Amino acid sequence: MKFPEKEKTGYPACRPEIPFYLEWKSLAFAGFLLLPVPVFFFSIFLGTYPLSTPELLRVLLTHFTAYEYSYPSVYDTVIFNIRFPRVLLAMMAGAALSTSGATFQGIFRNPLVSPYILGLSSGAAFGAALSIAVIPELPVQAGAFIFSLAALGFSYVMARTGGQTSTVALVLSGVITSSVFAALLSIIQFTTDEKAVQSIVYWTLGCLHTSHWTKFLDSFPLVLTGCLLIYLLRWKLNVLALGEEEAKAVGMNVELYKAIFIIAASLAASAAVAVAGIIGLLGLIVPHILRMIFGPDHRKIIPLSITFGAAFLALVDDVARSAFGFEIPVGIITTLLGAPFFLYLLRTTKIGGWG
């Protein structure tokens, strides 16, 4: 019979073992947080322009180190004006939509909720169509952003009665708002010329092929503001997820924090949709994947939604621009991936709330 080793104090050594699943989750958590870094470097090596990996590495070393290498000026255009802004824009949009989705799911206490629940996507589509077909002087990004926030405002105002805003009323008002803006969008498509209709349809499919630094720099401060506010207050989402009555019982101002989270999540999602188009179901599947792996704690879910959402959309965009002989709008791929996942959630989730 073997006895435990004695330490210098003379007492038996007592080193509690960490359960394997806790150690695995800690490693997975760190891996998901750092995932955007390798995905970014992987993504900038992909593209239709015939630029080899050694040449790309030499160009990067020339720009960021003392290494000297002579190369055609077109390499700078391909790497720094096409691939860099596209990958960064994809990551920014993915982080915004997944964080927004996780926030709305926490507020509504339902994993079937997406960032577009309050009519944001329909409002953005109408604003983009208005810019393309009716008011060409209005930039598409500005029109989409303004009307996405307008849709949010309509939904929130309609749902608020007697100083209270119930989740059921918010959902119903979001359905009404989406229907109204969808009808307005149909009017524009019906009355405009064929070329404008093609542009509108292409925008609504979600595509990053027009990415450039201006789009990224214009939308990044708005996305950063919304995501940062959600991140700083993420622990309060755990209280809201318990239910309004329980949150009030512990002294939380439910209406105030609900409004803060809705505004912050919608701000980030609106800014992303304005520059990337409507990317379907991303804000639904990413938070739920994380919830299945790491549990429902929003203190973990929110930072992971930022990093994993960014990496996820960048990888999907890699497939959209490199897997076929032609480019496919990224929104089509996310919808094809998300549709069966949504069906799975629908069949396994308790209707009306958390399972």
Side-chain angles (χ1 to χ4, degrees), residues 48 86 202 207 209 317-330 332-333:
T48 56
R86 175 158 187 164
Y202 196 72
C207 191
H209 82 288
D317 186 52
D318 291 342
V319 175
R321 63 191 172 96
S322 303
F324 308 95
F326 53 92
E327 183 170 331
I328 296 178
V330 68
I332 294 177
I333 299 179

Side-chain angles (χ1 to χ4, degrees), residues 173-232:
S173 62
V175 171
I176 295 171
T177 302
S178 296
S179 300
V180 170
F181 278 106
L184 294 174
L185 174 62
S186 299
I187 292 174
I188 292 178
Q189 291 177 317
F190 186 75
T191 57
T192 192
D193 61 273
E194 182 179 347
K195 185 177 180 180
V197 171
Q198 291 177 348
S199 299
I200 293 169
V201 171
Y202 196 72
W203 186 92
T204 57
L205 294 176
C207 191
L208 299 169
H209 82 288
T210 59
S211 303
H212 51 75
W213 283 113
T214 303
K215 281 188 174 183
F216 175 76
L217 295 176
D218 287 346
S219 55
F220 180 74
L222 299 173
V223 172
L224 178 64
T225 301
C227 290
L228 183 61
L229 186 58
I230 294 170
Y231 175 81
L232 295 176

Side-chain angles (χ1 to χ4, degrees), residues 112-174:
L112 302 179
V113 171
S114 76
Y116 305 145
I117 188 69
L118 299 182
L120 184 149
S121 59
S122 297
F126 171 74
L130 198 67
S131 301
I132 293 171
V134 182
I135 313 176
E137 296 79 13
L138 178 67
V140 174
Q141 290 76 34
F145 180 72
I146 291 170
F147 281 93
S148 63
L149 292 184
L152 165 69
F154 291 153
S155 298
Y156 193 80
V157 169
M158 283 191 293
R160 191 168 180 82
T161 56
Q164 301 292 323
T165 310
S166 70
T167 55
V168 175
L170 277 171
V171 172
L172 293 176
S173 62

